Structures are given as C-alpha cells and as structure tokens.
Amino acid sequence: MQISSIICHYAEIGIKGDNKSYFERYLKDNIKQQIRGVSPGLSIVVRMLRGRILVELSESGIERIDEIIEALKNVFGLAFFTLAVSTKQDIEEIKKVALALCQQESFDTFRVKASRSDKNFPLTSMEIDRTVGEVIFETMNKTVKLKGADLVCGIELVNRLAFIHVKRFAGRGGFPVGVSGKILLMLSGGFDSPVAAFYAMKRGATPVYLHFHSVPITDDSSIIKARQLVKALNKFQPYSKLLLCPLAPVQQAIMHNGYEKYRIILYRRFMFRIAEKISKQFKSGAIYTGESLGQVASQTIPNMAAIEIVTKIPILRPLIGFDKQEIINKAEEINTAEISILPDEDCCSLFTPKHPVTKAHIPTVELAEEGLEIDALVDEAIQGIIVEGIGR
Ligand code: ATP
Ligand code: MG
C-alpha cells in the first residue's frame, strides 16, 4: 500500500479569526521551503485542507520520504503529521486500505480513530471505528485498546476523500517562523545564543544574526564559528542574514579610558547601542540574547540593568531561567553544541579584567564612558559591518 500524502496538523489555540489565515499562509510556505531545502528540485504540491495542510507526494517525493519527514520535524507550528493513503469515501475501500496498512506494521494492540469533516458520510465516526476495527480484529487477531494502543489507525474524511494513516510523527509545536516578525539575534560562539535563536524561531520570530568580532586583534575563528552556527540553525529557517561587526576600535578606546572592572559592561553597552541602531535598518522589533540570570558576572540583574539602559528597544532573553546544563542539552539536540564547543578567540575575552564588577553602579558606568566619542564609535562600527547571506 503506497503512501500518497502527508497530513500536517497544527495546534489551533490562539490562532483564531484573521490571525488564522496569516498563520496558515506562513506555515504552508515554510513547509514547502523546508521540503525544498532538504530535497532540492523536488516538485511538491502543498495545499490547505480544512484546518490541515496537505502535502501531495509525487513518485519522486515518495522515494525521498525519509528526507521529507526529517524536514517536517523542523517546521515550527506543526503539532504532528501523518503519512496517509487517500481513497474515495467508500467504507469497503476504507476497510481494505486500513487493513493493508495495518498488515505492514507489527503491533499487539490497536484502535481505530475516525474523524469526519464531511458530515454527509452515512456512518458516524464511532460506526466507522467499529466497522474498520472489526476487520482488523478478525483478520489479524489483534486486541483493541482505547488508551495507549501500540497502533492507532486514523481515518479522516475530508473534501470527499478518506485519508487513512497508521504512522504519526510529533511536530515541534510553536509558531511558523516569520509570523512574529524580525528580531536581531546577538550571536556569539558560545552555547547559549544559538539556543536563544532556536527559541526565537520557535515562537515565530525570524532572526537576523549579529556577531561582534575583534579582528585584527584576534584571529577570525569566532567569525568562522558564527557562520557554522547560522548554517546549523538554518534547518529551521532555510536562509539567514549574518551581520559581522568589528568591535576592536570600541574595545581599544574603552581599554585606554581606564575603569578596568567596568570594561565588560562598557563593551556590552556598545554592543546594544549598535544592535539597536541597526535594528531599524533591518526592521527588527527586538534584540535577543543568550543571557541567563547569574550565569556569568555580566549577567547579574544590576549589570543587565546598567547595560540595557542605553537602549529603548525590547531586549528579550529566552534563556533567562535556564541552567547551563539545560542549555547544553538543547544545543546538543539541535546540533549547535558540536560547533559551540570548538575553541575560538571571542571578542569578550579581549582585555578582560581579573575582577569584573558584579553590581554595576550606573553613575560610575557613566563616568567610565566620559571622554569616549560614543556616537562616532557606534557609527564607525556600523560602517564596518559586513552582511553575509547564508543558506543551508
Ligand atoms: P554565549 O554562550 O551565547 O556565548 P555567554 O555565556 O558567553 O553566552 P556572555 O559573553 O555574557 O555570555 O554573552 C551574553 C550574550 O551576549 C550572548 O548570549 C550573546 O547573545 C551576546 N554576545 C556575547 N558576545 C557576543 C558577540 N561576540 N557577538 C554577538 N553577541 C554576543
Ligand atoms: Mg560567550
């Protein structure tokens, strides 16, 4: 029995009214893009089907089904998807297909679960369950179990067709990337910020990545890592922009100004000023970071306050309540850990003080910045930005 389609289901909570078609349009396009991303050249039909999205498989699509399944597992917004065979709405046909599909699987307990979007079918959902269940029971001698069965045979009656499936895959949940607009994601080479990018995309935001480097004082290893990280994160969004911003002139000016204990705070105030200014240019509505409360000296509440006070744009920190190990576990799951762990010369480790301040005193921070040509340094950094487009 040949699988002919994939039925994608999304959770409908919170996407009522006008929002719904907006959400569905993004989801449909993202499904198409993701499949094309893993199977270039594959011609694919993706269409709406009454609260579901249907992927119709051609011969070549069937051959590449495993790649397509992997792609769909990385589409945010999907609750689950099933591999289905479609037939006409005829109970004898439905029984035949359901039985054939079950015969390809190994299981002890099962249940049939029908749902009807077409209410004019002569049998109710429960009658379909019973009729089809009887055939499986009698032919295969398997036990019916309503809760926790090994195999669930789903039957969906929709648009004058019956879709029958026994294989179901969990989706990643969340919202389709794009529905929440663009954000600027501050990407270092560490474990945290790529995971923050994952959570940004999970709730529908499109990240534009911003990486600060200290070339030529350091080598370009952090830039190479940033590119690799964006490539790895592109399994959730096939194409991204990476902005590479030189921070060395800012850091040198700060170093010459004294206030050693405050150096990191000042670096970070400049990073946020630059990020806010280019947010406008890239239509980003917020800045995301990988900060988690108390993880390092700069991530205490007084320090975060002393840093973000220089901007007005929302600063979002999706990892604020995560432990380091939780972040690393997620990084491993999404394959960014293997890149983050590589050694690099990070800009924040340049001229770092032995004892950085943990409770920044804002008047002292302002004093430490006195004499710095803030606007000129910010503009110079922005002029030095190189924009790269990165695919998979
Ligand atoms: P990460 O694991 O993401 O590197 P971290 O534990 O090293 O974080 P910090 O160095 O304090 O912590 O950085 C906190 C956040 O600031 C990072 O998660 C990232 O969002 C941003 N950031 C730090 N360094 C850079 C950089 N070189 N370029 C862009 N953003 C940066
Ligand atoms: Mg870091």
Side-chain angles (χ1 to χ4, degrees):
M1 190 59 48
Q2 187 81 290
I3 298 299
S4 54
S5 20
I6 303 177
I7 307 176
C8 303
H9 287 261
Y10 42 88
E12 285 195 69
I13 301 161
I15 46 157
K16 304 242 150 44
D18 289 349
N19 264 347
K20 193 171 167 202
S21 57
Y22 177 72
F23 175 102
E24 287 171 338
R25 203 171 56 241
Y26 268 98
L27 187 55
K28 198 178 96 182
D29 288 351
N30 290 0
I31 287 173
K32 227 187 266 181
Q33 272 194 15
Q34 287 289 70
I35 294 177
R36 288 217 182 103
V38 296
S39 267
L42 184 70
S43 91
I44 189 105
V45 177
V46 181
R47 61 186 178 91
M48 295 305 309
L49 190 73
R50 293 234 216 147
R52 308 154 172 84
I53 295 174
L54 182 69
V55 179
E56 290 173 312
L57 296 169
S58 57
E59 276 299 319
S60 52
I62 292 163
E63 280 165 22
R64 283 144 99 171
I65 189 87
D66 291 339
E67 292 162 45
I68 296 176
I69 292 170
E70 283 318 301
L72 292 176
K73 283 184 185 167
N74 289 328
V75 176
F76 287 114
L78 287 185
F80 64 93
F81 57 95
T82 59
L83 306 186
V85 175
S86 64
T87 75
K88 56 183 184 195
Q89 284 187 2
D90 173 280
I91 191 66
E92 292 310 316
E93 276 294 314
I94 294 172
K95 280 200 266 189
K96 212 164 74 191
V97 173
L99 182 61
L101 282 178
C102 290
Q103 281 170 330
Q104 291 173 1
E105 305 298 317
S106 74
F107 62 97
D108 292 322
T109 57
F110 79 102
R111 72 167 295 188
V112 179
K113 200 163 185 283
S115 66
R116 303 184 314 159
S117 293
D118 290 339
K119 301 290 182 199
N120 50 0
F121 190 71
L123 304 181
T124 65
S125 299
M126 270 167 68
E127 285 164 347
I128 303 172
D129 292 353
R130 205 175 318 123
T131 315
V132 177
E134 255 167 37
V135 179
I136 299 167
F137 171 75
E138 280 162 13
T139 319
M140 298 183 71
N141 196 22
K142 302 287 185 189
T143 315
V144 174
K145 191 173 174 192
L146 292 185
K147 264 209 170 115
D150 300 337
L151 177 138
V152 178
C153 176
I155 300 169
E156 295 178 53
L157 301 184
V158 55
N159 265 26
R160 289 195 222 102
L161 286 171
F163 292 93
I164 301 139
H165 44 81
V166 294
K167 281 211 166 95
R168 174 183 161 128
F169 298 86
R172 282 202 179 266
F175 293 134
V177 178
V179 293
S180 302
K182 279 192 196 158
I183 59 102
L184 204 70
L185 192 127
M186 290 181 42
L187 183 73
S188 62
F191 286 102
D192 307 333
S193 41
V195 175
F198 170 88
Y199 285 108
M201 290 187 273
K202 181 168 184 230
R203 300 302 292 174
T206 301
V208 173
Y209 297 97
L210 171 62
H211 175 70
F212 293 98
H213 61 81
S214 308
V215 176
I217 305 180
T218 62
D219 64 16
D220 62 356
S221 54
S222 79
I223 296 181
I224 293 168
K225 270 175 83 173
R227 288 188 187 121
Q228 291 175 334
L229 286 168
V230 172
K231 229 177 162 55
L233 289 162
N234 277 353
K235 63 170 164 286
F236 304 110
Q237 153 185 301
Y239 173 85
S240 307
K241 277 194 180 126
L242 169 63
L243 317 181
L244 300 170
C245 181
L247 200 66
V250 167
Q251 292 177 287
Q252 277 167 322
I254 291 171
M255 190 193 60
H256 288 123
N257 220 27
Y259 293 91
E260 191 186 340
K261 281 181 158 193
Y262 277 84
R263 242 175 230 163
I264 304 274
I265 304 268
L266 298 202
Y267 290 174
R268 298 187 60 75
R269 279 163 64 101
F270 273 90
M271 286 184 182
F272 278 93
R273 288 185 179 111
I274 295 165
E276 177 170 50
K277 210 159 176 184
I278 53 172
S279 274
K280 288 200 186 81
Q281 195 181 330
F282 287 89
K283 300 192 167 57
S284 125
I287 297 170
Y288 269 62
T289 77
E291 288 162 301
S292 126
L293 187 59
Q295 196 191 85
V296 289
S298 64
Q299 295 173 18
T300 61
I301 289 175
N303 285 4
M304 286 196 275
I307 293 164
E308 73 169 41
I309 199 170
V310 297
T311 59
K312 290 203 180 73
I313 190 167
I315 312 290
L316 302 179
R317 303 174 171 93
L319 308 185
I320 200 70
F322 282 51
D323 292 342
K324 191 74 189 184
Q325 193 56 49
E326 290 174 302
I327 297 170
I328 292 175
N329 292 349
K330 193 72 196 174
E332 282 169 352
E333 189 223 315
I334 63 172
N335 304 115
T336 54
E338 60 207 56
I339 305 164
S340 295
I341 205 164
L342 301 171
D344 68 342
E345 290 188 5
D346 177 49
C347 73
C348 283
S349 52
L350 197 62
F351 320 127
T352 37
K354 276 203 192 75
H355 302 289
V357 65
T358 52
K359 281 191 194 125
H361 178 238
I362 293 178
T364 312
V365 177
E366 284 164 358
L367 217 59
E369 275 184 351
E370 241 173 43
L372 293 176
E373 303 271 356
I374 294 177
D375 292 342
L377 284 166
V378 167
D379 288 343
E380 185 193 341
I382 291 178
Q383 272 158 27
I385 289 180
I386 290 174
V387 182
E388 295 187 354
I390 298 191
R392 279 178 194 266

